[in-house]
Amino acid sequence: QAVLYCNELSKKVGLESVYKINQENNSVEADFTKNGYRLPTKTEWYWAAKGSSESDLDTYSGAKSGESNNIIYSSYSWNIENSSGKLHDVASRKANSRKIYDMSGNACEWCWDYYWDWNEPKEGIINNPTGPDNGVYRSICGGFYGNSSKYLNLLQSQTKLKPNSSEIYCGFRVARSYIKMN
């Protein structure tokens, strides 16, 4: 559903579709040279969540280094301690240094890559990795309103779901590739 949305949004605003969907074998291919909307890679998601280079030591999206206690962190995320067990309106907590909201908590987010654990670096994955070429699961990042703030740590808030799954606590955000024009 997320890749269908990206293709429809691209079409609506006159951009190229990134995804080629094969209904017969239920597969999807991405062409990152297209200028349309798409899901971010897990690495793109991480760097958007991380914020500026000045926040390299940040553990949570938006919270400054050392601001990991629940009282301060609750101003950046919806988590089990403050969400009353439900989703909340987007941008109802503080943004990170890039002015991006809800990168930790509230709803976890689909990424394009097949699942890989970024705590276990893979050889050859260096610059903007997109993970394995195939797999059973897709990556999900950011955690959700039912997670403890400890789990919302940027490096811990990764999980996986089968691509045809849908969960009320899992959403997505769109991205676009930088396409150099002549």
Side-chain angles (χ1 to χ4, degrees):
Q1 293 171 333
V3 297
L4 284 170
Y5 178 88
C6 290
N7 277 355
E8 288 300 316
L9 179 59
S10 297
K11 190 184 319 180
K12 182 177 181 177
V13 298
L15 299 173
E16 302 166 305
S17 292
V18 171
Y19 299 109
K20 182 178 178 183
I21 302 166
N22 184 330
Q23 302 282 353
E24 288 180 21
N25 66 3
N26 200 28
S27 66
V28 179
E29 293 178 24
D31 181 349
F32 282 49
T33 67
K34 303 294 185 186
N35 66 2
Y37 291 98
R38 60 178 177 78
L39 297 175
T41 66
K42 189 156 84 168
T43 300
E44 289 170 329
W45 182 94
Y46 175 80
W47 287 107
K50 191 75 171 148
S52 71
S53 60
E54 294 148 12
S55 62
D56 281 345
L57 300 175
D58 293 356
T59 304
Y60 303 99
S61 184
K64 307 297 179 267
S65 294
E67 290 184 340
S68 60
N69 69 56
N70 289 346
I71 294 170
I72 294 171
Y73 187 61
S74 66
S75 64
Y76 294 97
S77 80
W78 290 111
N79 55 67
I80 199 166
E81 289 91 7
N82 66 2
S83 70
S84 300
K86 63 181 183 177
L87 286 168
H88 290 269
D89 291 339
V90 173
S92 56
R93 289 290 187 238
K94 290 182 179 180
N96 69 14
S97 61
R98 294 184 196 260
K99 309 288 187 251
I100 303 173
Y101 293 88
D102 299 317
M103 296 298 289
S104 293
N106 208 23
C108 56
E109 300 178 7
W110 285 100
C111 293
W112 169 247
D113 336 29
Y114 284 105
Y115 180 77
W116 56 280
D117 186 343
W118 52 31
N119 293 307
E120 298 174 14
K122 303 281 187 260
E123 191 173 319
I125 297 180
I126 299 171
N127 295 318
N128 193 21
T130 56
D133 292 332
N134 53 53
V136 174
Y137 300 97
R138 294 285 183 176
S139 293
I140 308 294
C141 293
F144 76 107
Y145 62 85
N147 292 129
S148 70
S149 56
K150 180 182 177 184
Y151 179 77
L152 298 178
N153 170 315
L154 291 177
L155 290 177
Q156 300 301 320
S157 66
Q158 60 176 324
T159 191
K160 58 190 175 186
L161 284 173
K162 289 187 176 180
N164 58 353
S165 300
S166 69
E167 300 290 345
I168 192 164
Y169 57 81
C170 192
F172 64 97
R173 70 178 69 228
V174 296
R176 285 184 60 204
S177 295
Y178 172 77
I179 307 293
K180 188 173 182 178
M181 305 303 270
N182 289 336

